[in-house]
Amino acid sequence: MIYLALMNKLICFWCAVLVLFTSCHRDSILQGKTIFNINLDEGLTSLDPAFCRNQNTIWMDNQLYNGLVQISDSMKIEPCIAKSWDVSADGLLYTFHLRNDVYFHDDPLFKNGIGRKATASDFVYSFARLIDPKVASSGSWIFSDKVENKHSFIALNDTTFRIRLMQPFPPLLSLLTAQYASVVPHEVVDYCGKDFRNHPVGTGPFKFKYWKEGEVMVFLKNEKYWEKDKNGSPLPHLDAIRATFIGDKQTAFMEFVTGKLDFLNDIDGSYRDDILTKSGQVSQKYKGKFILNSAPYLNTMYLGMLVDSTLPIVKSSPLKILKIRQAINYAIDKQKMIKYLRNSMATVGDAGFIPEGMPGFDAHKVKGYMYNPEKSRQLLAEAGFPNGKNLPEILLSTTVGYRDLIEYVQGQLDQVGIRTRVEITQGASLRELVSKNGVNFFYGSWIADYPDGEDYLSLFYSKNKIPWGPNYTGFNNKQFDCLFEQAHHEPNDEKRYALYQQMDNLVMQQSPVVILYYDKLVNLYRNNVSGYSKNALNLLVLKRVVKAP
């Protein structure tokens, strides 16, 4: 066993050496190719989909791997390696019928170095790996409370794969669009172990070439890729993807402006006013120089308020009083905030916690809070604090990146008599405090893990209270819980969305959160780029992209 483990490490070592040797000749590798240049400003820690925990990793893994299903730009579930599927009447058995023409990328660890066909047993291996404690995948939550063990994943034959659930979970297909659920080959993963992070092999439209960490990464076109575009032409259209790792956002923007990058995600606050008018239009200075791609983004920006009165920290907090929480909700002019602090690149959060862009979102059926300072003052008086008299100062915690926004909120609350003190905390420290119910009033955001409203409402299910889940506000409502559990037994999407809307209305009525806004994605593309996606997950899809000379 020791000898085998040593040989495995040696194989991966020489693969790494080969990658480094190849990187010395990268200019010749890319010469004459159509290259899509991007920058990953937050760096990258792994290309193993089992550790696909942040946006940059999701983006790059989406080029290298496939799963059973995929998500369309309109947030619909579409076939991928699974060409069709069946769900049993009790909602416990999902049977997937796989394509027979999907192959892993060529790699020295395959027989004769040629990528073999991906089969149902590869999904058994990949999904069992996600829930293996020894792997410690950050994506284990996908299956950990839904299947009994690894034997819940079954290969009936090479092209038939089955998942057996312990309880019905209608959003499962949405969940399986996550990059965590990508298929990987056991030969390569078993040989490379943790080194699979920088020796990735998938079935996706691009294949890994090299990665000099912190400097450059290159993927090449997968010539054997199985998907075709709507005209029947093979995908992908690009020859290569080249990623740099420039951490400074202004430097990255200048690289984009000068044509060295083809794509830029988001517009940093340090130069937002230079690029966008307050109404969200491209400024005269940059008009016509690039394509601005904007759309709803499944990201709810909010203020959370701890409401679990059994917690010592809440017993002396004025936020335990419903009318105080509602007064805070009415006190903030969100339209003005978005216009002047976000250059209109957001949607006012006057519906529920589920954001615009999510299937089932309906601002007419879920009623949140609109700006009404007089109503806010009235509620304060009814709570026993007319004009804020005798109301204790409330500590509001945020991170430095949102200081301007929270100081705006502080000013709005002060105008109705609610005094706050803003505390700036490091991101990791604030997340830890929130995850331990250690702060009464905090700034937060929730980006969709998968395109189903259940992901957002899970933050208010009582059984998800800390430390078992993400119920950061300590919300507890029996009617909500009953509806949440009922939704897990409702396979009809429209009926399930109606249950979600009832739950969202309950949350708004009890006000454990203040919905500030629903985010918008902001992508910049060079004028010679077409075929890009516009989806509410801000998922980078490059297989259909065309770059003209």
Side-chain angles (χ1 to χ4, degrees):
M1 291 295 291
I2 295 174
Y3 172 77
L4 180 60
L6 180 60
M7 288 303 295
N8 292 348
K9 289 185 177 181
L10 282 173
I11 289 173
C12 284
F13 169 76
W14 285 112
C15 286
V17 169
L18 180 61
V19 166
L20 288 173
F21 176 77
T22 304
S23 70
C24 295
H25 302 278
R26 57 180 175 263
D27 291 338
S28 61
I29 292 169
L30 298 177
Q31 191 171 1
K33 294 186 182 296
T34 304
I35 307 162
F36 191 81
N37 296 286
I38 68 173
N39 182 64
L40 305 176
D41 57 6
E42 294 181 0
L44 205 67
T45 57
S46 176
L47 288 171
D48 182 342
F51 301 94
C52 192
R53 70 178 75 199
N54 60 37
Q55 188 177 64
N56 285 346
T57 309
I58 291 170
W59 280 355
M60 302 316 287
D61 282 359
N62 193 48
Q63 319 312 321
L64 294 173
Y65 302 99
N66 293 127
L68 291 167
V69 289
Q70 57 189 334
I71 198 77
S72 72
D73 281 358
S74 59
M75 297 290 100
K76 301 293 185 185
I77 309 299
E78 294 186 337
C80 193
I81 294 180
K83 58 185 179 181
S84 64
W85 50 87
D86 308 305
V87 183
S88 63
D90 61 7
L92 298 179
L93 285 179
Y94 284 70
T95 304
F96 298 89
H97 308 285
L98 310 186
R99 299 180 64 97
N100 199 33
D101 59 351
V102 180
Y103 291 82
F104 287 110
H105 304 149
D106 292 348
D107 190 88
L109 291 167
F110 292 124
K111 185 178 179 181
N112 299 322
I114 299 173
R116 62 167 176 80
K117 190 178 292 184
T119 66
S121 62
D122 292 305
F123 279 99
V124 172
Y125 173 83
S126 301
F127 290 0
R129 181 172 176 256
L130 281 182
I131 61 174
D132 184 349
K134 293 179 183 177
V135 176
S137 166
S138 54
S140 62
W141 59 270
I142 284 185
F143 295 118
S144 60
D145 61 344
K146 299 173 183 65
V147 300
E148 188 172 356
N149 52 43
K150 65 180 182 179
H151 301 297
S152 300
F153 308 121
I154 307 155
L156 299 180
N157 53 52
D158 280 356
T159 58
T160 311
F161 173 67
R162 177 170 287 172
I163 300 175
R164 181 184 292 114
L165 302 181
M166 293 187 293
Q167 300 290 336
F169 187 73
L172 181 69
L173 291 173
S174 293
L175 200 56
L176 291 176
T177 64
Q179 277 60 50
Y180 282 125
S182 301
V183 67
V184 296
H186 66 87
E187 299 96 324
V188 183
V189 178
D190 288 344
Y191 270 118
C192 289
K194 291 182 179 179
D195 288 331
F196 187 68
R197 64 176 289 278
N198 57 7
H199 186 80
V201 175
T203 62
F206 296 90
K207 56 189 179 183
F208 177 79
K209 189 60 181 178
Y210 61 79
W211 176 15
K212 189 172 183 182
E213 295 197 36
E215 293 188 27
V216 66
M217 175 185 289
V218 169
F219 297 168
L220 297 180
K221 178 178 184 174
N222 176 11
E223 301 285 357
K224 301 177 183 178
Y225 191 57
W226 55 275
E227 271 191 293
K228 300 183 186 301
D229 67 14
K230 61 183 180 181
N231 298 317
S233 299
L235 295 175
H237 300 304
L238 297 167
D239 293 325
I241 301 168
R242 183 178 183 272
T244 52
F245 298 89
I246 302 167
D248 183 77
K249 294 181 183 294
Q250 287 194 347
T251 302
F253 176 64
M254 291 311 300
E255 291 282 288
F256 174 77
V257 169
T258 56
K260 294 178 182 177
L261 294 175
D262 296 303
F263 165 82
L264 198 69
N265 178 60
D266 206 4
I267 300 175
D268 188 66
S270 60
Y271 53 83
R272 188 185 292 120
D273 286 339
D274 190 40
I275 299 175
L276 296 175
T277 65
K278 293 301 182 185
S279 60
Q281 302 301 309
V282 177
S283 66
Q284 196 62 39
K285 179 179 178 180
Y286 291 106
K287 203 165 188 128
K289 293 189 177 180
F290 51 74
I291 300 165
L292 175 68
N293 181 30
S294 183
Y297 176 32
L298 298 183
N299 183 19
T300 298
M301 316 299 278
Y302 70 99
L303 303 177
M305 294 176 277
L306 201 54
V307 296
D308 183 355
S309 57
T310 65
L311 297 170
I313 191 175
V314 177
K315 289 182 178 177
S316 60
S317 169
L319 298 176
K320 68 182 180 182
I321 303 170
L322 174 59
K323 289 186 176 181
I324 298 294
R325 301 196 299 271
Q326 292 174 327
I328 292 172
N329 267 283
Y330 280 118
I332 304 167
D333 187 342
K334 303 166 191 175
Q335 187 71 56
K336 184 178 177 182
M337 175 185 70
I338 290 169
K339 181 176 182 178
Y340 291 102
L341 298 181
R342 290 296 177 266
N343 295 72
S344 302
M345 285 297 166
T347 301
V348 173
D350 54 10
F353 196 69
I354 296 174
E356 182 186 27
M358 179 69 79
F361 173 86
D362 191 332
H364 298 292
K365 294 182 179 178
V366 180
K367 298 300 180 184
Y369 295 84
M370 301 185 74
Y371 180 52
N372 190 338
E374 290 308 314
K375 180 69 172 177
S376 179
R377 293 186 183 96
Q378 176 191 331
L379 286 163
L380 273 180
E382 291 175 3
F385 306 99
N387 297 314
K389 184 179 180 181
N390 297 323
L391 181 68
E393 183 181 69
I394 303 170
L395 181 67
L396 174 54
S397 300
T398 187
T399 58
V400 66
Y402 295 96
R403 181 172 191 158
D404 61 339
L405 191 145
I406 296 305
E407 287 181 346
Y408 171 85
V409 169
Q410 181 183 35
Q412 293 278 284
L413 296 180
D414 187 64
Q415 288 180 23
V416 298
I418 301 172
R419 293 180 299 110
T420 58
R421 177 167 61 87
V422 174
E423 182 175 75
I424 307 298
T425 308
Q426 287 187 342
S429 299
L430 182 56
R431 284 192 294 273
E432 185 177 0
L433 279 170
V434 170
S435 69
K436 293 180 178 178
N437 287 151
V439 59
N440 278 309
F441 198 21
F442 57 90
Y443 175 79
S445 68
W446 190 261
I447 301 174
D449 295 302
Y450 50 97
D452 191 279
E454 194 269 353
D455 184 37
Y456 282 81
L457 297 171
S458 66
L459 271 72
F460 305 100
Y461 184 47
S462 68
K463 292 182 181 178
N464 284 341
K465 277 190 178 183
I466 304 298
W468 300 284
N471 187 340
Y472 302 127
T473 62
F475 186 76
N476 189 341
N477 182 284
K478 289 182 179 179
Q479 186 182 355
F480 179 97
D481 286 355
C482 182
L483 291 168
F484 188 83
E485 291 164 6
Q486 184 182 341
H488 281 180
H489 294 269
E490 180 50 73
N492 180 278
D493 287 345
E494 293 305 317
K495 291 180 180 179
R496 198 168 71 257
Y497 297 158
L499 293 174
Y500 290 170
Q501 290 157 8
Q502 288 184 58
M503 285 183 267
D504 220 351
N505 274 317
L506 281 171
V507 172
M508 290 302 100
Q509 290 161 18
Q510 294 301 310
S511 306
V513 290
V514 178
I515 312 303
L516 296 176
Y517 60 88
Y518 311 119
D519 209 354
K520 285 186 178 180
L521 64 88
V522 181
N523 299 154
L524 306 183
Y525 289 92
R526 303 292 304 166
N527 287 327
N528 62 339
V529 173
S530 60
Y532 51 84
S533 287
K534 183 184 286 190
N535 60 77
L537 285 170
N538 198 17
L539 181 63
L540 187 65
V541 182
L542 296 180
K543 60 190 174 186
R544 292 185 293 270
V545 164
V546 176
K547 181 181 174 182

